[in-house]
Amino acid sequence: MYPNPQDVRRVASIGGGPIGGGWTAHFLARGYDVTTYLHSEDEIPAFRTILDTAWISLTALGLAEGASLDRLTIETDIEEAVEGAEFIQESAPENLEMKQELYRRLGEIVPANVVIGSSTSGLMMSDIQAKCCTPERCVIGHPFNPPYLLPLVEIVGGDDTAPDAVHWAGEFYRIAGKAPLMMKKEIPGFVATRLQEALWREALHMVANGEATPEDIDIALMNGPAPRMMAQGQCMAFHVACGEGGMATNLDQFGPALKLPWTRLEAPELTQNLRDRMVDGCNEIAGDQHFSDMAAQRDKEIVALLNALRSSREDN
């Protein structure tokens, strides 16, 4: 029913902003022809800036044969944008009613053998596809920001999604240079965002209680768990940390600590005071750096990490 993922050459990307623009840059860098739908021509200058910024890092990582920004077409008519597409990546705003209407329209104008992936970071595909006449080909394809650098894409279907569409999406994203995570169940927030949210809630508690500043929290993560997680994640880091006994030793020895009041997963009340302390703390860290300069530095360091990991793994 669906085309061979290996044969896909034309992708439609719906939506601008950091996510839609990031996806467009990624697909272009992988050598695809991309048509992007933007709501208005007024969005084009900002969209082009996202692409130009992303292209610097993508070039440093290595472009696929034939990759070019010239393979991009921008449309403000949804029908023209999706015409001839062999895959659609949807990155519309996080508004359920808006997405439902969009999928209703896509169901009418896009051939049923074209899979549609949603970048939503928290909405459920079961809800998004509710008004679509071809819900069986609609899946979640949730990236991590920035999508043009971080390989993760979380994939799961809704109640009416066909299993073969989910499988197809996983294979396509893999071929397109992503690291697909095929989820076992549809849950709000997916996997990575839920883990990130747990860290975020604990960070807010510590700031609210005067236990740490935003700077303290970032220093702790950047110089502690984060570099190790790049290599081993969470589970394997604890497995290897306990020597030959592995995870069994970890759980047997440190299991009782799970009962200690080390974490407070329920979110703290976001008072004006807490809000201001977070804002002031982050502004103090940023100093006089412009957002674009901080994003460029972030991308440069992620590229260095990804290239270092790639080199290390190739040596093995």
Side-chain angles (χ1 to χ4, degrees):
M1 178 181 180
Y2 304 112
N4 187 330
Q6 192 78 48
D7 296 334
V8 172
R9 294 292 177 267
R10 182 173 295 278
V11 172
S13 178
I14 297 177
I19 303 302
W23 270 119
T24 294
H26 171 77
F27 286 126
L28 288 170
R30 299 296 298 184
Y32 292 94
D33 292 311
V34 182
T35 301
T36 291
Y37 168 75
L38 298 179
H39 181 69
S40 166
E41 290 186 358
D42 294 341
E43 300 176 31
I44 294 178
F47 184 77
R48 289 284 188 185
T49 298
I50 293 171
L51 292 185
D52 292 341
T53 299
W55 208 250
I56 296 170
S57 297
L58 289 166
T59 301
L61 282 173
L63 301 173
E65 183 177 354
S68 172
L69 289 171
D70 293 336
R71 300 180 73 166
L72 170 66
T73 302
I74 297 176
E75 297 284 358
T76 55
D77 182 288
I78 189 68
E79 290 194 35
E80 293 182 10
V82 300
E83 184 177 358
E86 297 162 294
F87 173 73
I88 297 174
Q89 184 71 44
E90 171 270 310
S91 305
E94 287 287 89
N95 179 294
L96 179 58
E97 290 184 0
M98 182 183 295
K99 284 188 186 288
Q100 287 179 334
E101 177 58 25
L102 175 60
Y103 277 70
R104 183 196 65 77
R105 184 76 177 117
L106 293 174
E108 296 174 347
I109 64 177
V110 178
N113 68 335
V114 176
V115 172
I116 304 171
S118 178
S119 301
T120 179
S121 59
L123 299 176
M124 306 274 275
M125 179 48 68
S126 294
D127 297 325
I128 294 173
Q129 66 188 185
K131 297 181 180 179
C132 182
C133 62
T134 53
E136 63 277 358
R137 45 75 173 273
C138 302
V139 305
I140 297 294
H142 171 239
F144 234 53
N145 195 21
Y148 55 87
L149 286 184
L150 298 181
L152 178 68
V153 57
E154 298 174 300
I155 303 163
V156 68
D159 289 340
D160 296 323
T161 304
D164 60 342
V166 177
H167 174 79
W168 187 95
E171 184 63 11
F172 169 73
Y173 283 123
R174 184 189 65 78
I175 292 168
K178 286 294 187 178
L181 189 164
M182 309 299 289
M183 291 181 56
K184 307 299 186 292
K185 293 182 179 180
E186 185 184 28
I187 56 174
F190 318 120
V191 176
T193 303
R194 291 171 76 107
L195 294 171
Q196 180 178 254
E197 179 71 7
L199 272 173
W200 179 233
R201 292 183 180 200
E202 189 61 28
L204 289 175
H205 274 297
M206 286 190 280
V207 173
N209 293 334
E211 298 160 352
T213 65
E215 184 177 21
D216 293 335
I217 289 161
D218 284 354
I219 288 173
L221 290 174
M222 291 166 63
N223 295 281
R228 186 175 65 185
M229 282 185 176
M230 282 288 293
Q232 294 182 321
Q234 179 66 78
C235 298
M236 286 306 296
F238 279 12
H239 176 75
V240 174
C242 286
E244 294 184 5
M247 183 57 76
T249 296
N250 180 286
L251 293 176
D252 293 343
Q253 183 174 345
F254 297 106
L258 295 173
K259 299 293 185 180
L260 297 176
W262 285 358
T263 59
R264 297 152 289 200
L265 292 183
E266 185 174 336
E269 181 182 356
L270 188 56
T271 63
Q272 185 67 39
N273 179 265
L274 174 55
R275 182 260 182 205
D276 291 345
R277 287 163 70 184
M278 291 299 301
V279 171
D280 292 344
C282 290
N283 285 337
E284 184 177 340
I285 297 170
D288 58 2
Q289 297 178 89
H290 189 270
F291 160 76
S292 60
D293 295 328
M294 290 187 289
Q297 183 64 24
R298 174 203 66 191
D299 289 359
K300 180 180 178 181
E301 293 180 7
I302 291 175
V303 167
L305 287 168
L306 292 174
N307 275 332
L309 284 173
R310 179 190 298 169
S311 176
S312 176
R313 289 166 182 171
E314 286 175 352
D315 290 343
N316 293 332

